[in-house]
Amino acid sequence: MRADYVLKRFGIFLLIVWLAGTVNFFLPRVNSQDPIREKLMQQATNGGSLQTGMQEMVAEYDAKFGLDRPLWQQYLSYLADLSRFDLNYSISNYPRTVSEMILEALPWSIGLLSVTTLLAFAIGTLFGAFLGWPRTPGWVHFLLPPVLALHALPFFVLGLVLMYVLAFWAHLLPMYGGYTPGTFPSLNLAFALDIVVHSIIPALSIILVSIGGWALGMRAMMITTQGEDFTNFAEAKGLLARTICLRYAVRNALLPQITALALVLGHIVSGAVIVEVIFAFPGVGTVLFNAIRESDFFLVQGIVFCVILTLGIATFILDLCYPLLDPRITYRRS
Amino acid sequence: MSIVVSKPLAGSPATHSPWLDALLATGRYLRRNPSLIVGLVLLLGLTLFVVIGRSMVDVEDARALSVRPLQEPSARYPLGTDKQGRDVLALMVAGTPLTLRIGLIAAFVGIGFGAIVAFVSAYYGGWVDAVIRTIVDTGLTVPGLMVLIVIVMSLKVSLSTDQMALVIASLAWLSPARVIRAQVLTIRERSYVQLARLSGVSGPEIIVKELLPNLLPYLVASLVTGVSSAILASIGLEVLGLGPLDSPSLGMTLYWVNYSAALLNGWWWWWVPPIVVMAVLFMGLFFVTIGLDEFANPRLRKQV
């Protein structure tokens, strides 16, 4: 793998992260009045048991982002905080820091999303490959319309239906949450199984919806690769049909699928946030929902930043995997 | 067709009307494009539901406290009533056009701005193109809902539906810009455009007379996709509680459904209608997109 390819991709990753941080900093300040300050003041005047902490928080906020400091100085101290992952305290859960709360929720979301995305990608791509291969038995094609119809739905629409049918009506699976209330998260088999059982419906709603998109893309690419000279040449050489399908058609058709994966990740995350809210799944989406309800600005900003950061890392890893699949990338000179 | 062939001289008088000809040609084309038919039928059905519904119920009943809360479906309230004391049928009839309106406003603004950006990018090339491409490519990898959340929270005022549409439009231009730019780049190199340029036709005239007509299918397709993703974004914001709380839109209905745990309480008549309307809406838009894709990209017809 060439160094300049890796460096360029890493540069794009840094650009995304910097943009996310910058947008987070400037957007609340565009409106001249500072909603963060207002929320802090409101919380501080409300008083109660939290008051001492709030006063300190306001003092600290003023020291860093006070109006007596020019904007660029505020911006620099913000970026310095960000680079140390100091995302400030949560306004509504004062003594807890934002990073702490996100780190608690992030594994749930990453677990749910990575498993569902990979499964949907694998199943959908395989399905699409079959659809685009002339020797596939005819009945496979009848599966396409229902799969496409499902693909049109947002995750949460299918999620609600599955929740009603599988959990409320048939009592097969639990309705809400990430684990049985009352149990204490621990590292044993029973708890792991409990998580899996709770994740089935949210995961199923994401997977069933996503399959159609991958199948459609893969089918189109399979049809395109079969018209290419190299496939005709392979046929003329008398290679086995299976070899042509896997080594010639599928391998080449797979490349745009990987590119699409990098592009679609953002949509998947946006959709999954709503799924988490509907299922009260203890991931980042649910924390975000509660933070919005409490207008906990630091927590919302922290989550938005961390989600974009995580997604940036995922895209970067995907970019690094790309040359392994397509050797031409590393030889190409820009 | 066969009639015309068998009676070449007389012909049927109807075929002389260009409008009817176009209509017949459209009909013939639609028969070859089932996705487009399915999509249009679904959207038409939804429109009929809203139009007929409007004549059946008083839309004012979509306001809170106008009817007795939590009534099961009956002759008086065909879809029952919700916990806020709103007639669910009135809610659907009032909310569906509202949600569609958000999608249309955001998509039109997005396409308009995206098309301008795309033309500028493709026309000037060089560093302008490089900068725009980087912005669009990085913007598209970021989850849009996250950025929209920060924008809405920063505005701090409670948004009206139209304002929310404009906020969504602030990101809705990225995807059309990418699609249109790619198309402009390929069309620009075609011989008829080259010929027009050699004949001394000015840049804007080439854009309007040569590029736009050929871009039209792509513009319409990205408009439909744009409406769909803008509606999805609006529902996302609303479910998270960032929409206008008193609005009867589909997303706000879902917010209250989730808020009152209607599913757990067995109030099925409250959450089934918005879910069905959303399913029909998204499926309709999706199948229209696939149909338009087939129209714009006839090579896809070579199906296995």
Side-chain angles (χ1 to χ4, degrees):
Chain A
M1 207 177 294
R2 279 166 56 143
D4 57 346
Y5 173 77
V6 177
L7 276 179
K8 196 179 156 202
R9 295 291 137 177
F10 189 66
I12 292 177
F13 165 68
L14 283 184
L15 181 71
I16 292 176
V17 173
W18 171 74
L19 274 177
T22 307
V23 164
N24 253 345
F25 175 82
F26 282 106
L27 269 182
R29 287 168 176 79
V30 165
N31 215 359
S32 74
Q33 89 243 56
D34 184 345
I36 304 173
R37 183 182 312 276
E38 274 175 34
K39 176 65 190 171
L40 278 173
M41 290 302 177
Q42 189 193 332
Q43 199 85 340
T45 43
N46 278 354
S49 56
L50 287 174
Q51 204 188 7
T52 37
M54 282 332 275
Q55 298 291 8
E56 281 162 24
M57 208 163 146
V58 173
E60 198 191 333
Y61 184 79
D62 271 341
K64 270 183 193 159
F65 304 113
L67 294 176
D68 53 326
R69 300 183 69 198
L71 199 61
W72 63 269
Q73 276 186 13
Q74 293 181 33
Y75 179 55
L76 284 184
S77 46
Y78 171 80
L79 283 187
D81 279 357
L82 213 56
S83 60
R84 284 181 281 113
F85 273 100
D86 177 2
L87 300 171
N88 225 316
Y89 290 98
S90 157
I91 299 178
S92 50
N93 311 279
Y94 168 64
R96 307 196 63 195
T97 62
V98 168
S99 325
E100 196 182 306
M101 294 185 71
I102 294 176
L103 278 182
E104 209 169 86
L106 208 55
W108 290 93
S109 298
I110 292 182
L112 178 70
L113 274 176
S114 52
V115 171
T116 50
T117 308
L118 289 178
L119 270 179
F121 182 80
I123 299 172
T125 305
L126 202 67
F127 181 46
F130 276 124
L131 286 174
W133 187 242
R135 291 168 187 244
T136 306
W139 59 267
V140 175
H141 295 274
F142 287 105
L143 290 174
L144 184 63
V147 168
L148 275 188
L150 280 181
H151 178 60
L153 300 177
F155 298 153
F156 64 84
V157 168
L158 186 65
L160 278 174
V161 174
L162 289 179
M163 188 201 250
Y164 182 75
V165 174
L166 294 178
F168 184 81
W169 184 70
H171 294 288
L172 287 175
L173 293 162
M175 275 184 97
Y176 292 110
Y179 50 90
T180 310
T183 54
F184 196 74
S186 53
L187 272 175
N188 58 33
L189 193 67
F191 188 69
L193 213 64
D194 195 36
I195 295 179
V196 170
V197 166
H198 276 81
S199 312
I200 290 178
I201 308 181
L204 211 56
S205 56
I206 297 179
I207 293 175
L208 286 178
V209 166
S210 306
I211 286 177
W214 299 122
L216 208 61
M218 188 66 180
R219 188 188 71 145
M221 276 318 294
M222 282 291 282
I223 293 171
T224 315
T225 46
Q226 275 165 56
E228 300 273 359
D229 291 340
F230 57 79
T231 329
N232 291 337
F233 181 58
E235 254 169 70
K237 276 200 293 188
L239 293 182
L240 284 175
R242 205 184 50 199
T243 315
I244 299 175
C245 175
L246 291 178
R247 308 289 295 276
Y248 286 72
V250 171
R251 190 169 177 193
N252 282 291
L254 212 53
L255 296 172
Q257 290 284 96
I258 306 280
T259 320
L261 184 59
L263 277 176
V264 172
L265 276 180
H267 288 277
I268 299 177
V269 169
S270 298
V273 165
I274 311 298
V275 170
E276 285 188 4
V277 171
I278 297 267
F279 284 95
F281 194 77
V284 173
T286 305
V287 178
L288 179 67
F289 177 62
N290 292 327
I292 290 172
R293 262 185 160 173
E294 316 256 354
S295 0
D296 187 341
F297 233 94
F298 290 134
L299 192 50
V300 172
Q301 286 188 325
I303 290 172
V304 170
F305 180 74
C306 281
V307 167
I308 296 177
L309 179 73
T310 316
L311 213 65
I313 295 173
T315 319
F316 181 56
I317 294 174
L318 221 54
D319 280 339
L320 293 190
C321 291
Y322 204 69
L324 300 178
L325 289 158
D326 185 0
R328 286 168 300 182
I329 292 267
T330 29
Y331 305 133
R332 195 179 293 155
R333 289 196 167 274
S334 55
Chain B
M1 289 287 270
S2 56
I3 301 172
V4 182
V5 174
S6 59
K7 285 189 272 179
L9 284 176
S12 76
T15 51
H16 286 299
S17 149
W19 285 104
L20 198 69
D21 266 358
L23 206 69
L24 283 176
T26 316
R28 274 197 303 276
Y29 175 71
L30 277 179
R31 222 183 309 161
R32 279 187 288 123
N33 195 340
S35 305
L36 199 57
I37 297 190
V38 171
L40 289 176
V41 165
L42 286 175
L43 292 183
L44 201 70
L46 201 59
T47 318
L48 280 180
F49 165 73
V50 171
V51 170
I52 296 175
R54 284 215 168 221
S55 64
M56 275 172 60
V57 291
D58 185 6
V59 186
E60 286 297 302
D61 282 353
R63 287 174 192 275
L65 303 176
S66 46
V67 292
R68 264 184 69 189
L70 290 177
Q71 299 286 300
E72 281 196 38
S74 59
R76 188 151 168 231
Y77 307 117
L79 295 178
T81 64
D82 75 359
K83 207 183 174 194
Q84 272 86 36
R86 303 184 288 186
D87 181 352
V88 176
L89 181 58
L91 209 55
M92 291 302 102
V93 163
T96 308
L98 207 60
T99 299
L100 258 177
R101 186 188 157 94
I102 299 178
L104 284 171
I105 295 178
F108 268 107
V109 175
I111 294 265
F113 188 66
I116 294 172
V117 169
F119 279 117
V120 167
S121 184
Y123 187 82
Y124 288 102
W127 67 270
V128 177
D129 186 36
V131 169
I132 290 178
R133 216 177 50 214
T134 313
I135 293 175
V136 169
D137 284 354
T138 44
L140 279 174
T141 55
V142 169
L145 189 63
M146 294 290 149
V147 182
L148 292 176
I149 288 169
V150 178
I151 297 177
V152 175
M153 285 197 75
S154 305
L155 292 174
K156 212 189 151 271
V157 285
S158 90
L159 292 179
S160 71
T161 37
D162 286 359
Q163 285 165 330
M164 196 159 80
L166 291 179
V167 169
I168 293 168
S170 69
L171 292 185
W173 61 274
L174 289 166
S175 167
R178 185 198 185 93
V179 174
I180 297 169
R181 176 186 163 275
Q183 283 309 318
V184 171
L185 283 182
T186 63
I187 295 177
R188 200 180 60 174
E189 299 308 320
R190 299 207 184 141
S191 42
Y192 56 84
V193 179
Q194 306 260 9
L195 186 69
R197 199 178 300 146
L198 286 176
S199 320
V201 182
S202 69
E205 207 181 335
I206 290 184
I207 290 181
V208 173
K209 284 196 176 159
E210 309 286 341
L211 294 183
L212 268 185
N214 290 291
L215 271 176
L216 208 61
Y218 295 95
L219 287 177
V220 178
S222 36
L223 184 74
V224 181
T225 330
V227 170
S228 174
S229 40
I231 290 179
L232 192 58
S234 82
I235 292 175
L237 286 175
E238 287 175 329
V239 168
L240 290 171
L242 289 170
L245 289 180
D246 56 344
S247 157
S249 64
L250 296 175
M252 278 332 288
T253 309
L254 211 62
Y255 170 79
W256 292 115
V257 161
N258 189 41
Y259 186 88
S260 319
L263 217 95
L264 197 62
N265 286 310
W267 301 322
W268 57 270
W269 61 89
W270 187 6
W271 64 268
V272 169
I275 287 293
V276 170
V277 169
M278 279 187 217
V280 171
L281 181 59
F282 282 112
M283 280 191 195
L285 290 170
F286 178 69
F287 281 110
V288 168
T289 316
I290 293 197
L292 286 173
D293 216 27
E294 206 256 17
F295 179 72
N297 225 342
R299 251 187 302 178
L300 286 179
R301 272 178 220 156
K302 200 180 81 177
Q303 283 178 359
V304 183

